Amino acid sequence: MSCISIQAQQPKKPTSSELYEAIEKLNFIGSVLYVAAHPDDENTRLISHMSNAVKARTAYLSLTRGDGGQNLIGPELRELLGVIRTQELVAARQIDGGEQFFTRANDFGYSKHPDETLAIWNKDEVMSDVVWAIRKFQPDIIINRFDHRSPGSTHGHHTSSAMLSMEAFDAAADPTKYPEQLKHVKVWQPKREFFNPSWWFYGSQEKFDAADKTNFYELEVGNFYPALGLSNAEIAALSRSSHQSQGFGNTGSRGSETEYLELIKGNKPTDKTNIFEGIDTSWNRVKGGKPIGELLKSVQENYDFNNPSASIQKLVEAYKLIQKLEDNHWKTVKSEAIKEVIAGCAGLYLEVAAASNTASPKSVINLSLEAINRSPQNIKLLSVVFSDGSRIQKNTDLQNNDSHRFKSEMTIAPTTSYSTPYWLDSKGSLGMYKVDDQQLIGLPETPRNVTATFNISINGVVIPYVRPVIYKTNDPVKGEVYKPFEIVPQVSAHIAEPVIIFADDQQKDIQVIVKAQRENLEGFVQLAHPKGWNVYPEKQKVSLLHKGEEKTLVFTVIPPKNQSEGLLSPMVHIGNEVYTKQLIEMDYNHIPFQTILMPSESKIVRLDIKKKGENIGYIEGAGDVVPESLRQIGYNVVIIKPEDITTDNLNRFDAIVVGIRAYNTIDALKFKQHQLFEFVNQGGNLIVQYNTSGGLVVDDLAPYPMKLSRDRVTDENSEVTFLNPQHELLNYPNKITQTDFEGWTQERGLYFPDTWSEAFTPVLSMHDTGETPKEGSLLVAKYGKGHYIYTGLSFFREFPEGVAGAFRLFANMLSIGKENIKANQQLKQ
């Protein structure tokens, strides 16, 4: 069980009670693998129960990193959102006591059927990764969150996760399947596989209560853990609440709770409350394990909560025996676990901190090291070996509570890999990340490659403790703040805007920000650009004296006369090296500080676009870049806070745009709807982007009756039919054609209305293959002197990708009702 109160970036400092829990887990030799599709799919109640009550080694295999979701806490989408959600899963497991794994599957967005999912993913590669996870983790039991027998009834990723898990159950034991893996792991046959049903598979709690559960296994998961003063459900809620980017804050509960499991593979336990029945979970299952089990049982029975160090001698004896095991799997797993228990019982704190949070290859870093033994146990620090191969010989007795601090330095080797999520190193496909190193596949994070190994002697037994180099500082408000130590290029550059829209053929000045990661950098910067575009000057010198210094260079970009698009990429030349990566940093309180290297490129789009009206008010929803995108095409966009929604404030705008899911997330809007409707009544345009039907803060989303559904079109290339080709939205001021629906990304749209008042005019029709036409993606109604528009089209995804047609259609939406009389007459002819 993890230290629940500890912040995400600080080292673990287990309590005496938590050490006892860890000793109990040392005595359980069994594993459970929970399998689903996305971050937040996992059942944290069941994971916490298996880890903390059963004491099983428990892990969650999420096939994707959740890259296709929405972000409620910031603007990051796609790969960067996947990084956030990965870290949220890691944080969740630190709370509920599980481990975390992934496959290379990319969450490309909502999918309606596993056939589509497995066609976009590479089924064989994802299957290989599931098999790899099973062979590496060696679970006795697999539990699927979703039902493999229900294709088409839920998200295609969900059903696919269960189907792949079912197939991998047998494939992992077959040496002819993915034999290249057997250089690193051995074949493995899990004993049982279960499906973990819940009320939402049945449609309601009432239907689930009434369902036949004769063949279900019932697990009581309402455990109370006195050592923490928390129920299992409270721990699960804390874990669940780690998914902040998805808005899954959860309130814990107390009292008896039941989870149900349906056996779908393997032999059948007779005890319907014990899914490990018949599986030896003692040390006897491991050759040479019996004396280890006896030692650890004695440690557990005689544990002194007021003096954990009294257990060290027998724990060290058990550690010695574990090193002699022939079973490399349990030898590795239990060696790491018992080492940390020994350290915890001794109050042994080992730390190596750098003077800065970043360094580049070939640089020398200064280090501060600390080793302290806070127990009467005889402990000696023999040496410290750094990852660059250098060594400090110490042979120092660590006296009780006497901190041993010293300085050192190390050189970052020129071949040291940069610190960045390994799955983003190479360009993948729509459905798959590209990872060539088999040993990396499935890991939640890139392993830290700058480390110090403290060789500690306890009772003559040498135990190596590997600690990553970290960075810490003191913040006047937060106090001690930790950050990961990162290896970064000596220079990085990026263009200030990820997408730059040219609404006409006028040139624009583009800012390129260059940042040094070492002292005394000199070189020059060029911009790679598409054919037909011009950049002036061709190159500019740059000189950066200090690490962390930034300079902004201005280039003039001249677009072509006609519509065109491409990529603009800065190239920084330092000596014979050319640097083309952007250094992205993300700092959220609930996850560790993140450093990501991505190709430094911005999309440039020369649009053929016209617009009417200038002043747009924007009510922010759940994080999108629509305001910036509208500024790019020349609108004056002002962010309006809910408390500023007054008649006087609204009247100065030509149109008001409401951000995605605003009516799901902004409670104050329930008191402002009548003012927004009055704005329309007096001649304004109100554009409301998609919301979900659940959790609306208003009763009336529109001035006329309209009902949201779960209708969505996930095929971004699906055919679009113009229901009313002469409608103003399709003709003024931009003539919308089928070309404007080319190049869309991830989806057409989501959560369309399916019923609406006759006051609304549907403009577009679209549908996924095999489905009925969906006509609710873009609805417009005249209300008083103005227009109300509701749209489920995914502009929030298309704008960051610079999709030209999305900009042109949105400009028409903002311009509706503003045509002059002549234009209106021409339209009617």
PDB file of all heavy atoms in Angstrom, residues 795-825:
ATOM      1  N   PHE A 795     -14.901  21.090 -33.974  1.00  0.00           N
ATOM      2  CA  PHE A 795     -14.015  22.202 -34.307  1.00  0.00           C
ATOM      3  C   PHE A 795     -12.821  22.256 -33.353  1.00  0.00           C
ATOM      4  O   PHE A 795     -11.722  22.658 -33.746  1.00  0.00           O
ATOM      5  CB  PHE A 795     -14.786  23.522 -34.252  1.00  0.00           C
ATOM      6  CG  PHE A 795     -15.813  23.673 -35.336  1.00  0.00           C
ATOM      7  CD1 PHE A 795     -17.164  23.493 -35.067  1.00  0.00           C
ATOM      8  CD2 PHE A 795     -15.436  23.980 -36.633  1.00  0.00           C
ATOM      9  CE1 PHE A 795     -18.113  23.621 -36.063  1.00  0.00           C
ATOM     10  CE2 PHE A 795     -16.383  24.115 -37.640  1.00  0.00           C
ATOM     11  CZ  PHE A 795     -17.728  23.937 -37.361  1.00  0.00           C
ATOM     12  N   PHE A 796     -13.024  21.845 -32.103  1.00  0.00           N
ATOM     13  CA  PHE A 796     -11.941  21.895 -31.120  1.00  0.00           C
ATOM     14  C   PHE A 796     -10.801  20.953 -31.486  1.00  0.00           C
ATOM     15  O   PHE A 796      -9.676  21.118 -31.008  1.00  0.00           O
ATOM     16  CB  PHE A 796     -12.479  21.569 -29.721  1.00  0.00           C
ATOM     17  CG  PHE A 796     -12.825  20.114 -29.504  1.00  0.00           C
ATOM     18  CD1 PHE A 796     -11.991  19.268 -28.805  1.00  0.00           C
ATOM     19  CD2 PHE A 796     -14.024  19.592 -29.996  1.00  0.00           C
ATOM     20  CE1 PHE A 796     -12.314  17.944 -28.595  1.00  0.00           C
ATOM     21  CE2 PHE A 796     -14.363  18.268 -29.799  1.00  0.00           C
ATOM     22  CZ  PHE A 796     -13.502  17.432 -29.097  1.00  0.00           C
ATOM     23  N   ARG A 797     -11.066  19.958 -32.329  1.00  0.00           N
ATOM     24  CA  ARG A 797      -9.996  19.090 -32.836  1.00  0.00           C
ATOM     25  C   ARG A 797      -9.454  19.583 -34.172  1.00  0.00           C
ATOM     26  O   ARG A 797      -8.264  19.439 -34.464  1.00  0.00           O
ATOM     27  CB  ARG A 797     -10.506  17.655 -32.996  1.00  0.00           C
ATOM     28  CG  ARG A 797     -10.871  16.981 -31.694  1.00  0.00           C
ATOM     29  CD  ARG A 797     -10.888  15.472 -31.861  1.00  0.00           C
ATOM     30  NE  ARG A 797     -11.430  14.807 -30.695  1.00  0.00           N
ATOM     31  CZ  ARG A 797     -10.758  14.568 -29.567  1.00  0.00           C
ATOM     32  NH1 ARG A 797      -9.510  14.976 -29.456  1.00  0.00           N
ATOM     33  NH2 ARG A 797     -11.334  13.943 -28.560  1.00  0.00           N
ATOM     34  N   GLU A 798     -10.310  20.163 -34.991  1.00  0.00           N
ATOM     35  CA  GLU A 798      -9.888  20.543 -36.345  1.00  0.00           C
ATOM     36  C   GLU A 798      -9.039  21.810 -36.340  1.00  0.00           C
ATOM     37  O   GLU A 798      -8.086  21.924 -37.113  1.00  0.00           O
ATOM     38  CB  GLU A 798     -11.117  20.721 -37.243  1.00  0.00           C
ATOM     39  CG  GLU A 798     -12.134  19.587 -37.192  1.00  0.00           C
ATOM     40  CD  GLU A 798     -11.526  18.198 -37.213  1.00  0.00           C
ATOM     41  OE1 GLU A 798     -10.596  17.958 -38.003  1.00  0.00           O
ATOM     42  OE2 GLU A 798     -11.977  17.335 -36.419  1.00  0.00           O
ATOM     43  N   PHE A 799      -9.375  22.774 -35.493  1.00  0.00           N
ATOM     44  CA  PHE A 799      -8.608  24.024 -35.468  1.00  0.00           C
ATOM     45  C   PHE A 799      -7.135  23.807 -35.126  1.00  0.00           C
ATOM     46  O   PHE A 799      -6.261  24.363 -35.795  1.00  0.00           O
ATOM     47  CB  PHE A 799      -9.248  25.019 -34.497  1.00  0.00           C
ATOM     48  CG  PHE A 799     -10.519  25.642 -35.007  1.00  0.00           C
ATOM     49  CD1 PHE A 799     -11.300  26.438 -34.181  1.00  0.00           C
ATOM     50  CD2 PHE A 799     -10.954  25.452 -36.317  1.00  0.00           C
ATOM     51  CE1 PHE A 799     -12.471  27.027 -34.632  1.00  0.00           C
ATOM     52  CE2 PHE A 799     -12.133  26.028 -36.787  1.00  0.00           C
ATOM     53  CZ  PHE A 799     -12.892  26.815 -35.937  1.00  0.00           C
ATOM     54  N   PRO A 800      -6.792  23.017 -34.089  1.00  0.00           N
ATOM     55  CA  PRO A 800      -5.371  22.806 -33.797  1.00  0.00           C
ATOM     56  C   PRO A 800      -4.618  22.107 -34.918  1.00  0.00           C
ATOM     57  O   PRO A 800      -3.394  22.174 -34.974  1.00  0.00           O
ATOM     58  CB  PRO A 800      -5.398  21.931 -32.529  1.00  0.00           C
ATOM     59  CG  PRO A 800      -6.722  22.173 -31.923  1.00  0.00           C
ATOM     60  CD  PRO A 800      -7.655  22.405 -33.065  1.00  0.00           C
ATOM     61  N   GLU A 801      -5.357  21.428 -35.804  1.00  0.00           N
ATOM     62  CA  GLU A 801      -4.727  20.758 -36.940  1.00  0.00           C
ATOM     63  C   GLU A 801      -4.724  21.634 -38.189  1.00  0.00           C
ATOM     64  O   GLU A 801      -4.259  21.204 -39.245  1.00  0.00           O
ATOM     65  CB  GLU A 801      -5.447  19.435 -37.238  1.00  0.00           C
ATOM     66  CG  GLU A 801      -5.403  18.439 -36.087  1.00  0.00           C
ATOM     67  CD  GLU A 801      -3.984  17.998 -35.757  1.00  0.00           C
ATOM     68  OE1 GLU A 801      -3.163  17.881 -36.692  1.00  0.00           O
ATOM     69  OE2 GLU A 801      -3.694  17.794 -34.559  1.00  0.00           O
ATOM     70  N   GLY A 802      -5.260  22.854 -38.074  1.00  0.00           N
ATOM     71  CA  GLY A 802      -5.256  23.773 -39.214  1.00  0.00           C
ATOM     72  C   GLY A 802      -6.118  23.315 -40.371  1.00  0.00           C
ATOM     73  O   GLY A 802      -5.769  23.531 -41.539  1.00  0.00           O
ATOM     74  N   VAL A 803      -7.254  22.684 -40.083  1.00  0.00           N
ATOM     75  CA  VAL A 803      -8.132  22.184 -41.145  1.00  0.00           C
ATOM     76  C   VAL A 803      -8.875  23.374 -41.776  1.00  0.00           C
ATOM     77  O   VAL A 803      -9.728  24.005 -41.131  1.00  0.00           O
ATOM     78  CB  VAL A 803      -9.129  21.144 -40.598  1.00  0.00           C
ATOM     79  CG1 VAL A 803     -10.081  20.686 -41.700  1.00  0.00           C
ATOM     80  CG2 VAL A 803      -8.369  19.945 -40.023  1.00  0.00           C
ATOM     81  N   ALA A 804      -8.556  23.675 -43.015  1.00  0.00           N
ATOM     82  CA  ALA A 804      -9.040  24.894 -43.663  1.00  0.00           C
ATOM     83  C   ALA A 804     -10.561  24.973 -43.713  1.00  0.00           C
ATOM     84  O   ALA A 804     -11.162  26.014 -43.409  1.00  0.00           O
ATOM     85  CB  ALA A 804      -8.462  24.981 -45.081  1.00  0.00           C
ATOM     86  N   GLY A 805     -11.200  23.858 -44.068  1.00  0.00           N
ATOM     87  CA  GLY A 805     -12.648  23.874 -44.212  1.00  0.00           C
ATOM     88  C   GLY A 805     -13.366  24.156 -42.914  1.00  0.00           C
ATOM     89  O   GLY A 805     -14.433  24.785 -42.906  1.00  0.00           O
ATOM     90  N   ALA A 806     -12.791  23.711 -41.801  1.00  0.00           N
ATOM     91  CA  ALA A 806     -13.404  23.963 -40.495  1.00  0.00           C
ATOM     92  C   ALA A 806     -13.397  25.462 -40.193  1.00  0.00           C
ATOM     93  O   ALA A 806     -14.375  26.003 -39.661  1.00  0.00           O
ATOM     94  CB  ALA A 806     -12.652  23.190 -39.411  1.00  0.00           C
ATOM     95  N   PHE A 807     -12.321  26.142 -40.541  1.00  0.00           N
ATOM     96  CA  PHE A 807     -12.255  27.595 -40.339  1.00  0.00           C
ATOM     97  C   PHE A 807     -13.286  28.307 -41.208  1.00  0.00           C
ATOM     98  O   PHE A 807     -13.972  29.242 -40.756  1.00  0.00           O
ATOM     99  CB  PHE A 807     -10.855  28.108 -40.678  1.00  0.00           C
ATOM    100  CG  PHE A 807      -9.844  27.894 -39.588  1.00  0.00           C
ATOM    101  CD1 PHE A 807      -8.994  26.801 -39.607  1.00  0.00           C
ATOM    102  CD2 PHE A 807      -9.729  28.794 -38.540  1.00  0.00           C
ATOM    103  CE1 PHE A 807      -8.063  26.604 -38.615  1.00  0.00           C
ATOM    104  CE2 PHE A 807      -8.794  28.612 -37.537  1.00  0.00           C
ATOM    105  CZ  PHE A 807      -7.955  27.507 -37.572  1.00  0.00           C
ATOM    106  N   ARG A 808     -13.415  27.877 -42.455  1.00  0.00           N
ATOM    107  CA  ARG A 808     -14.327  28.552 -43.382  1.00  0.00           C
ATOM    108  C   ARG A 808     -15.778  28.387 -42.940  1.00  0.00           C
ATOM    109  O   ARG A 808     -16.566  29.341 -42.963  1.00  0.00           O
ATOM    110  CB  ARG A 808     -14.130  27.989 -44.795  1.00  0.00           C
ATOM    111  CG  ARG A 808     -12.850  28.488 -45.467  1.00  0.00           C
ATOM    112  CD  ARG A 808     -12.443  27.625 -46.678  1.00  0.00           C
ATOM    113  NE  ARG A 808     -13.551  27.325 -47.551  1.00  0.00           N
ATOM    114  CZ  ARG A 808     -14.017  28.149 -48.514  1.00  0.00           C
ATOM    115  NH1 ARG A 808     -13.445  29.327 -48.690  1.00  0.00           N
ATOM    116  NH2 ARG A 808     -15.020  27.771 -49.276  1.00  0.00           N
ATOM    117  N   LEU A 809     -16.130  27.167 -42.478  1.00  0.00           N
ATOM    118  CA  LEU A 809     -17.491  26.931 -42.024  1.00  0.00           C
ATOM    119  C   LEU A 809     -17.780  27.717 -40.741  1.00  0.00           C
ATOM    120  O   LEU A 809     -18.855  28.309 -40.592  1.00  0.00           O
ATOM    121  CB  LEU A 809     -17.712  25.431 -41.794  1.00  0.00           C
ATOM    122  CG  LEU A 809     -19.092  25.021 -41.265  1.00  0.00           C
ATOM    123  CD1 LEU A 809     -20.207  25.499 -42.198  1.00  0.00           C
ATOM    124  CD2 LEU A 809     -19.172  23.500 -41.077  1.00  0.00           C
ATOM    125  N   PHE A 810     -16.816  27.766 -39.826  1.00  0.00           N
ATOM    126  CA  PHE A 810     -17.036  28.490 -38.583  1.00  0.00           C
ATOM    127  C   PHE A 810     -17.173  29.989 -38.850  1.00  0.00           C
ATOM    128  O   PHE A 810     -17.979  30.680 -38.195  1.00  0.00           O
ATOM    129  CB  PHE A 810     -15.894  28.240 -37.597  1.00  0.00           C
ATOM    130  CG  PHE A 810     -16.302  28.328 -36.152  1.00  0.00           C
ATOM    131  CD1 PHE A 810     -16.718  27.218 -35.458  1.00  0.00           C
ATOM    132  CD2 PHE A 810     -16.287  29.552 -35.480  1.00  0.00           C
ATOM    133  CE1 PHE A 810     -17.114  27.293 -34.124  1.00  0.00           C
ATOM    134  CE2 PHE A 810     -16.672  29.651 -34.150  1.00  0.00           C
ATOM    135  CZ  PHE A 810     -17.091  28.512 -33.472  1.00  0.00           C
ATOM    136  N   ALA A 811     -16.411  30.506 -39.815  1.00  0.00           N
ATOM    137  CA  ALA A 811     -16.549  31.921 -40.184  1.00  0.00           C
ATOM    138  C   ALA A 811     -17.964  32.202 -40.689  1.00  0.00           C
ATOM    139  O   ALA A 811     -18.547  33.261 -40.392  1.00  0.00           O
ATOM    140  CB  ALA A 811     -15.515  32.294 -41.238  1.00  0.00           C
ATOM    141  N   ASN A 812     -18.522  31.276 -41.426  1.00  0.00           N
ATOM    142  CA  ASN A 812     -19.913  31.439 -41.883  1.00  0.00           C
ATOM    143  C   ASN A 812     -20.879  31.441 -40.706  1.00  0.00           C
ATOM    144  O   ASN A 812     -21.852  32.205 -40.679  1.00  0.00           O
ATOM    145  CB  ASN A 812     -20.281  30.308 -42.847  1.00  0.00           C
ATOM    146  CG  ASN A 812     -19.727  30.534 -44.241  1.00  0.00           C
ATOM    147  OD1 ASN A 812     -18.868  31.392 -44.450  1.00  0.00           O
ATOM    148  ND2 ASN A 812     -20.198  29.762 -45.206  1.00  0.00           N
ATOM    149  N   MET A 813     -20.620  30.605 -39.723  1.00  0.00           N
ATOM    150  CA  MET A 813     -21.492  30.557 -38.554  1.00  0.00           C
ATOM    151  C   MET A 813     -21.446  31.884 -37.796  1.00  0.00           C
ATOM    152  O   MET A 813     -22.470  32.384 -37.331  1.00  0.00           O
ATOM    153  CB  MET A 813     -21.074  29.387 -37.652  1.00  0.00           C
ATOM    154  CG  MET A 813     -21.350  28.012 -38.263  1.00  0.00           C
ATOM    155  SD  MET A 813     -20.334  26.661 -37.573  1.00  0.00           S
ATOM    156  CE  MET A 813     -20.769  26.741 -35.845  1.00  0.00           C
ATOM    157  N   LEU A 814     -20.271  32.445 -37.685  1.00  0.00           N
ATOM    158  CA  LEU A 814     -20.138  33.734 -37.003  1.00  0.00           C
ATOM    159  C   LEU A 814     -20.753  34.876 -37.809  1.00  0.00           C
ATOM    160  O   LEU A 814     -21.178  35.889 -37.245  1.00  0.00           O
ATOM    161  CB  LEU A 814     -18.653  34.036 -36.746  1.00  0.00           C
ATOM    162  CG  LEU A 814     -17.950  33.139 -35.722  1.00  0.00           C
ATOM    163  CD1 LEU A 814     -16.438  33.381 -35.762  1.00  0.00           C
ATOM    164  CD2 LEU A 814     -18.482  33.387 -34.315  1.00  0.00           C
ATOM    165  N   SER A 815     -20.801  34.694 -39.127  1.00  0.00           N
ATOM    166  CA  SER A 815     -21.249  35.782 -40.018  1.00  0.00           C
ATOM    167  C   SER A 815     -22.739  35.738 -40.320  1.00  0.00           C
ATOM    168  O   SER A 815     -23.257  36.640 -40.985  1.00  0.00           O
ATOM    169  CB  SER A 815     -20.471  35.700 -41.343  1.00  0.00           C
ATOM    170  OG  SER A 815     -19.072  35.757 -41.130  1.00  0.00           O
ATOM    171  N   ILE A 816     -23.439  34.702 -39.862  1.00  0.00           N
ATOM    172  CA  ILE A 816     -24.834  34.538 -40.269  1.00  0.00           C
ATOM    173  C   ILE A 816     -25.664  35.778 -39.892  1.00  0.00           C
ATOM    174  O   ILE A 816     -25.512  36.368 -38.830  1.00  0.00           O
ATOM    175  CB  ILE A 816     -25.445  33.267 -39.634  1.00  0.00           C
ATOM    176  CG1 ILE A 816     -26.812  32.962 -40.267  1.00  0.00           C
ATOM    177  CG2 ILE A 816     -25.534  33.373 -38.131  1.00  0.00           C
ATOM    178  CD1 ILE A 816     -27.359  31.594 -39.893  1.00  0.00           C
ATOM    179  N   GLY A 817     -26.509  36.169 -40.827  1.00  0.00           N
ATOM    180  CA  GLY A 817     -27.383  37.311 -40.612  1.00  0.00           C
ATOM    181  C   GLY A 817     -26.729  38.645 -40.882  1.00  0.00           C
ATOM    182  O   GLY A 817     -27.373  39.693 -40.764  1.00  0.00           O
ATOM    183  N   LYS A 818     -25.470  38.628 -41.288  1.00  0.00           N
ATOM    184  CA  LYS A 818     -24.763  39.892 -41.475  1.00  0.00           C
ATOM    185  C   LYS A 818     -24.514  40.213 -42.943  1.00  0.00           C
ATOM    186  O   LYS A 818     -23.769  41.126 -43.276  1.00  0.00           O
ATOM    187  CB  LYS A 818     -23.424  39.859 -40.722  1.00  0.00           C
ATOM    188  CG  LYS A 818     -23.612  39.810 -39.210  1.00  0.00           C
ATOM    189  CD  LYS A 818     -22.297  39.696 -38.490  1.00  0.00           C
ATOM    190  CE  LYS A 818     -22.489  39.884 -36.982  1.00  0.00           C
ATOM    191  NZ  LYS A 818     -23.492  39.009 -36.395  1.00  0.00           N
ATOM    192  N   GLU A 819     -25.161  39.473 -43.845  1.00  0.00           N
ATOM    193  CA  GLU A 819     -24.996  39.772 -45.258  1.00  0.00           C
ATOM    194  C   GLU A 819     -25.751  41.056 -45.603  1.00  0.00           C
ATOM    195  O   GLU A 819     -26.760  41.395 -44.967  1.00  0.00           O
ATOM    196  CB  GLU A 819     -25.490  38.601 -46.124  1.00  0.00           C
ATOM    197  CG  GLU A 819     -26.998  38.513 -46.311  1.00  0.00           C
ATOM    198  CD  GLU A 819     -27.695  37.815 -45.154  1.00  0.00           C
ATOM    199  OE1 GLU A 819     -27.127  37.761 -44.040  1.00  0.00           O
ATOM    200  OE2 GLU A 819     -28.812  37.342 -45.370  1.00  0.00           O
ATOM    201  N   ASN A 820     -25.256  41.773 -46.588  1.00  0.00           N
ATOM    202  CA  ASN A 820     -25.963  42.995 -47.003  1.00  0.00           C
ATOM    203  C   ASN A 820     -27.132  42.628 -47.914  1.00  0.00           C
ATOM    204  O   ASN A 820     -27.294  41.482 -48.332  1.00  0.00           O
ATOM    205  CB  ASN A 820     -25.008  43.988 -47.676  1.00  0.00           C
ATOM    206  CG  ASN A 820     -24.300  43.355 -48.874  1.00  0.00           C
ATOM    207  OD1 ASN A 820     -24.891  42.594 -49.627  1.00  0.00           O
ATOM    208  ND2 ASN A 820     -23.029  43.686 -49.051  1.00  0.00           N
ATOM    209  N   ILE A 821     -27.944  43.571 -48.178  1.00  0.00           N
ATOM    210  CA  ILE A 821     -29.179  43.310 -48.939  1.00  0.00           C
ATOM    211  C   ILE A 821     -28.865  42.743 -50.314  1.00  0.00           C
ATOM    212  O   ILE A 821     -29.514  41.797 -50.779  1.00  0.00           O
ATOM    213  CB  ILE A 821     -29.997  44.606 -49.067  1.00  0.00           C
ATOM    214  CG1 ILE A 821     -30.454  45.064 -47.680  1.00  0.00           C
ATOM    215  CG2 ILE A 821     -31.194  44.397 -49.986  1.00  0.00           C
ATOM    216  CD1 ILE A 821     -31.160  46.408 -47.696  1.00  0.00           C
ATOM    217  N   LYS A 822     -27.827  43.267 -50.938  1.00  0.00           N
ATOM    218  CA  LYS A 822     -27.481  42.809 -52.290  1.00  0.00           C
ATOM    219  C   LYS A 822     -27.080  41.335 -52.261  1.00  0.00           C
ATOM    220  O   LYS A 822     -27.510  40.540 -53.101  1.00  0.00           O
ATOM    221  CB  LYS A 822     -26.351  43.662 -52.850  1.00  0.00           C
ATOM    222  CG  LYS A 822     -25.965  43.281 -54.266  1.00  0.00           C
ATOM    223  CD  LYS A 822     -24.875  44.205 -54.797  1.00  0.00           C
ATOM    224  CE  LYS A 822     -24.472  43.800 -56.219  1.00  0.00           C
ATOM    225  NZ  LYS A 822     -23.404  44.672 -56.736  1.00  0.00           N
ATOM    226  N   ALA A 823     -26.245  40.995 -51.268  1.00  0.00           N
ATOM    227  CA  ALA A 823     -25.813  39.609 -51.166  1.00  0.00           C
ATOM    228  C   ALA A 823     -26.999  38.691 -50.905  1.00  0.00           C
ATOM    229  O   ALA A 823     -27.097  37.600 -51.450  1.00  0.00           O
ATOM    230  CB  ALA A 823     -24.775  39.468 -50.053  1.00  0.00           C
ATOM    231  N   ASN A 824     -27.908  39.156 -50.077  1.00  0.00           N
ATOM    232  CA  ASN A 824     -29.089  38.370 -49.763  1.00  0.00           C
ATOM    233  C   ASN A 824     -29.959  38.162 -50.994  1.00  0.00           C
ATOM    234  O   ASN A 824     -30.480  37.076 -51.241  1.00  0.00           O
ATOM    235  CB  ASN A 824     -29.869  39.073 -48.649  1.00  0.00           C
ATOM    236  CG  ASN A 824     -30.886  38.149 -48.011  1.00  0.00           C
ATOM    237  OD1 ASN A 824     -30.675  36.946 -47.981  1.00  0.00           O
ATOM    238  ND2 ASN A 824     -31.971  38.713 -47.525  1.00  0.00           N
ATOM    239  N   GLN A 825     -30.090  39.216 -51.805  1.00  0.00           N
ATOM    240  CA  GLN A 825     -30.884  39.100 -53.027  1.00  0.00           C
ATOM    241  C   GLN A 825     -30.227  38.118 -54.000  1.00  0.00           C
ATOM    242  O   GLN A 825     -30.886  37.320 -54.649  1.00  0.00           O
ATOM    243  CB  GLN A 825     -31.034  40.475 -53.671  1.00  0.00           C
ATOM    244  CG  GLN A 825     -31.936  41.420 -52.870  1.00  0.00           C
ATOM    245  CD  GLN A 825     -31.940  42.812 -53.429  1.00  0.00           C
ATOM    246  OE1 GLN A 825     -31.059  43.214 -54.198  1.00  0.00           O
ATOM    247  NE2 GLN A 825     -32.971  43.597 -53.044  1.00  0.00           N
TER     248      GLN A 825
END
